[in-house]
Amino acid sequence: MQRRQFVKNAAIGIGAIASGVGMSRDSSAEAAAFEEPTAKAGRPVRAVSVGFRPGLPLEKIAGLVDSEGARGADIIALPETCGGQNEKSQESLDGPTISAMARLAMKHRTYIVCPIDRKDGSSRFNSAVLLDRKGQVVCVYDKLYPVWQQECVMQPPVQPGGAVRVHSTDFGRVGLAICFDVNWAPLWQQMANHGAELVVWPSAYSAGRSLQAQASQFNYYIMSATQVPDCLVYDIDGELLVHDHENVGAGINVTRVSLDLDRCIFHQDLNLPGKRDALLKEHGDDVEQEKWWPMEGWFILKARRTGVSARELARQYGLEELRHYINRSRIEIDKCRGWEFS
């Protein structure tokens, strides 16, 4: 599409490894660690972003997913409308793209986020379809904010979606958003309110700071899969963990990361010093403070060994996570205003 041509000139980013995230494509040791998440502390999830330029044939898309699935993955994400968005690209949930990905999801026992130009009766949606490890469709998210000057004037037009989607997988809660959705914070707030721990964002472009702002404000991981092709991964505090750009070559990017969904972020208010210090003193072999951001007053806790949940231990010591603290603060402030419904 014309609106997407500008992304071809996107700058090449860097591949990075940060605390809590491991890349698995640089050495055999890292590859082994990626394929054996049970050997790691916390709640590690093997996530794969497969990005490519528009026009890649379905058989080549399936080949990429098959290859990455064979290496071991918990979730694989493809870019926005991965089969195209034109006069011939509409298909239903039992069409060729979802059928092919369903077979691969079942073959490799992995979740797959497969975005399509979806036909539903006489309606058309820009959808991200989540398949489970059995190849079943378990969630369909329809883009809430299609690009009005392009998608909404197609024939037939793309209809705006009607609901936020966060799905409970066997490894954690996954939210879905697509491309232009990045510009509307209430959508991202609702995913936080529904308990999202990882948001997968298929897109035509990278978004950069706009995407980073959502991770920073709502405190979940975000992983993109784009047509640039590139992949951005943001930490629960908004820190950029990975930016890969066309790392395979030939218009293809594949990024593999391990994300610990047990890591948790807190505000210093009501948590420091007493509750946190007591936890670390009595469970120093189990939990550590991984990050401290003095300007924000934030800190992150993570498990140090297998079989331990930093989040659960924090609850036992009365620590309140940042997302919950902000929501509760809103309620308490509304009570101060005298609002009876608070």
Side-chain angles (χ1 to χ4, degrees):
M1 298 175 61
Q2 290 182 354
R3 72 185 175 88
R4 297 173 179 174
Q5 294 304 308
F6 76 96
V7 302
K8 292 184 177 179
N9 296 320
I12 296 178
I14 59 170
I17 302 173
S19 298
V21 177
M23 301 292 291
S24 68
R25 51 189 168 77
D26 297 326
S27 73
S28 58
E30 288 170 350
F34 188 93
E35 293 167 2
E36 296 295 338
T38 55
K40 295 184 179 180
R43 183 155 46 99
V45 174
R46 302 165 298 170
V48 180
S49 167
V50 179
F52 44 84
R53 295 174 187 158
L56 196 68
L58 177 57
E59 56 269 24
K60 291 189 176 180
I61 297 172
L64 289 169
V65 173
D66 193 20
S67 176
E68 295 306 312
R71 295 179 62 189
D74 294 304
I75 187 166
I76 300 173
L78 299 175
E80 181 180 14
T81 53
C82 68
Q85 191 181 40
N86 52 55
E87 66 278 2
K88 298 180 179 179
S89 59
Q90 290 184 78
E91 60 179 285
S92 63
L93 291 177
D94 58 358
T97 303
I98 297 301
S99 297
M101 293 305 114
R103 289 191 291 271
L104 292 171
M106 182 168 55
K107 176 181 178 180
H108 298 297
R109 304 293 295 172
T110 184
Y111 289 84
I112 297 177
V113 177
C114 182
I116 60 170
D117 182 10
R118 186 169 73 90
K119 180 179 177 59
D120 184 9
S122 61
S123 297
R124 182 181 197 174
F125 297 97
N126 182 335
S127 302
V129 180
L130 179 64
L131 299 157
D132 68 9
R133 299 185 196 269
K134 297 179 180 179
Q136 301 296 311
V137 174
V138 292
C139 181
V140 178
Y141 168 72
D142 299 322
K143 187 179 183 181
L144 285 184
Y145 297 98
V147 178
W148 57 272
Q149 71 272 32
Q150 292 289 335
E151 295 178 286
C152 295
V153 297
M154 290 179 167
Q155 293 301 323
V158 174
Q159 299 295 320
V164 173
R165 301 294 184 195
V166 175
H167 183 76
S168 290
T169 69
D170 58 17
F171 58 77
R173 292 185 62 78
V174 175
L176 299 169
I178 299 172
C179 200
F180 206 38
D181 287 338
V182 74
N183 296 292
W184 282 270
L187 185 165
W188 300 80
Q189 172 74 68
Q190 288 185 57
M191 286 193 287
N193 291 345
H194 284 83
E197 297 172 296
L198 165 65
V199 172
V200 174
W201 185 71
S203 180
Y205 80 122
S206 305
R209 293 176 184 175
S210 300
L211 196 61
Q212 184 175 33
Q214 309 303 347
S216 178
Q217 186 169 7
F218 300 116
N219 310 126
Y220 35 54
Y221 293 103
I222 299 177
M223 182 181 75
S224 71
T226 80
Q227 298 175 9
V228 173
D230 69 355
C231 172
L232 292 162
V233 181
Y234 290 105
D235 201 355
I236 59 176
D237 57 2
E239 182 178 7
L240 176 63
L241 298 174
V242 177
H243 182 195
D244 284 340
H245 179 280
E246 201 173 350
N247 59 12
V248 175
I252 296 171
N253 185 86
V254 177
T255 297
R256 299 171 66 84
V257 294
S258 180
L259 304 172
D260 180 2
L261 300 192
D262 185 60
R263 292 169 69 246
C264 37
I265 186 169
F266 304 85
H267 197 282
Q268 64 184 1
D269 290 358
L270 308 180
N271 290 317
L272 296 186
K275 296 176 182 178
R276 181 205 60 185
D277 290 357
L279 169 61
L280 296 179
K281 180 180 179 180
E282 297 176 23
H283 291 276
D285 293 335
D286 298 322
V287 178
E288 65 178 322
Q289 179 175 294
E290 181 190 37
K291 292 185 181 181
W292 163 244
W293 296 108
M295 294 181 69
E296 292 82 0
W298 296 350
F299 62 96
I300 291 178
L301 299 178
K302 65 174 288 189
R304 299 188 64 183
R305 60 183 182 86
T306 57
V308 171
S309 169
R311 177 167 283 152
E312 181 56 35
L313 279 174
R315 289 196 191 105
Q316 293 177 20
Y317 279 76
L319 279 83
E320 185 174 31
E321 292 184 49
L322 175 58
R323 185 188 299 178
H324 303 153
Y325 172 62
I326 295 301
N327 286 341
R328 186 163 70 92
S329 295
R330 183 184 299 113
I331 293 172
E332 295 300 325
I333 293 166
D334 286 348
K335 288 180 181 178
C336 293
R337 301 180 198 276
W339 294 0
E340 294 182 1
F341 59 82
S342 296

